[in-house]
Amino acid sequence: NTEPAAIKNAGNVKMLGSKSIGLYGNGASLIENSGVLSSDIEGNIGIYSKGSTVSTINNSNSIMLSNSGIGIYAENAAISNTGSITTGDQTAVSDSIGIYAKNSVVTNTGDVKTGQDGIAFFGDNSTININGGNIDASKGSLVYGKNGSIINYNTADTVVSGVQPYINIENSALNFSSPAALTVSDNGTGILVSGNTGTVTGNLELNLNNNAV
């Protein structure tokens, strides 16, 4: 039997066309990026992984994408980001997402920045551990969890300035493992819980300004 491939990048990969992928690891056991994945073109993905066996994905350096970009897209994977991921604005064609996880576990201590209406973390039946790093989702949402996802929020105080829900959970669980504070600016939305099985637990101080929810 052939062992699943391991993909490692320590160089610079620049995507020059649309719908391109920096590191494609369909079925790979390991994908590591210690280099730079970048694109100035809309609609690209930094790392893509989808397979029947669990993959390990590590980003320790930089992924920089334009509008409608997805930093990491993975299904059935263990994902670690200790580096930085930057994506642009959402467009009418596609979302802009830092890390998209399906049936996966995400552990983040790195930096993630999204553009207008972007989503830093998207979980579909996944566990997302937000343990640190500089997260800038001020123009969009920090996290969207659905289909039984578990969001463990372990970061410092945050100011929510956009009108999009900063945290959006649908039939999923949101846990504040340590005391946290969210300050929601004028007309902003802090946390939106939908579905029959959505829960929020832990120690949270929620400060609301004018017309905020």
Side-chain angles (χ1 to χ4, degrees), residues 51-123:
S52 58
T53 58
V54 176
S55 297
T56 298
I57 300 173
N58 298 322
N59 176 57
S60 60
N61 200 333
S62 178
I63 300 174
M64 298 180 293
L65 302 177
S66 184
N67 298 337
S68 296
I70 299 177
I72 298 173
Y73 179 101
E75 299 185 18
N76 200 26
I79 306 161
S80 172
N81 176 48
T82 59
S84 66
I85 298 173
T86 302
T87 65
D89 301 340
Q90 175 183 302
T91 67
V93 177
S94 180
D95 292 329
S96 180
I97 301 172
I99 298 176
Y100 183 107
K102 184 174 182 180
N103 304 324
S104 297
V105 176
V106 176
T107 301
N108 185 83
T109 56
D111 302 339
V112 179
K113 181 178 181 179
T114 62
Q116 188 67 48
D117 298 328
I119 303 171
F121 304 95
F122 190 107

Side-chain angles (χ1 to χ4, degrees), residues 74 155 194:
T155 63
S194 61

Side-chain angles (χ1 to χ4, degrees), residues 16-34:
L16 302 177
S18 184
K19 298 182 180 179
S20 298
I21 299 172
L23 299 179
Y24 180 88
N26 205 7
S29 62
L30 173 67
I31 304 175
E32 287 187 350
N33 178 53
S34 59

Side-chain angles (χ1 to χ4, degrees), residues 100-175:
Y100 183 107
K102 184 174 182 180
N103 304 324
S104 297
V105 176
V106 176
T107 301
N108 185 83
T109 56
D111 302 339
V112 179
K113 181 178 181 179
T114 62
Q116 188 67 48
D117 298 328
I119 303 171
F121 304 95
F122 190 107
D124 183 352
N125 189 35
S126 295
T127 298
I128 298 180
N129 301 303
I130 305 172
N131 294 337
N134 295 313
I135 313 298
D136 183 357
S138 58
K139 297 180 180 179
S141 299
L142 170 72
V143 60
Y144 187 105
K146 69 176 187 177
N147 293 333
S149 290
I150 299 172
I151 313 300
N152 296 315
Y153 183 101
N154 304 308
T155 63
D157 296 354
T158 302
V159 176
V160 182
S161 59
V163 297
Q164 298 291 335
Y166 189 69
I167 298 175
N168 193 336
I169 58 171
E170 177 185 350
N171 292 317
S172 296
L174 170 63
N175 303 315

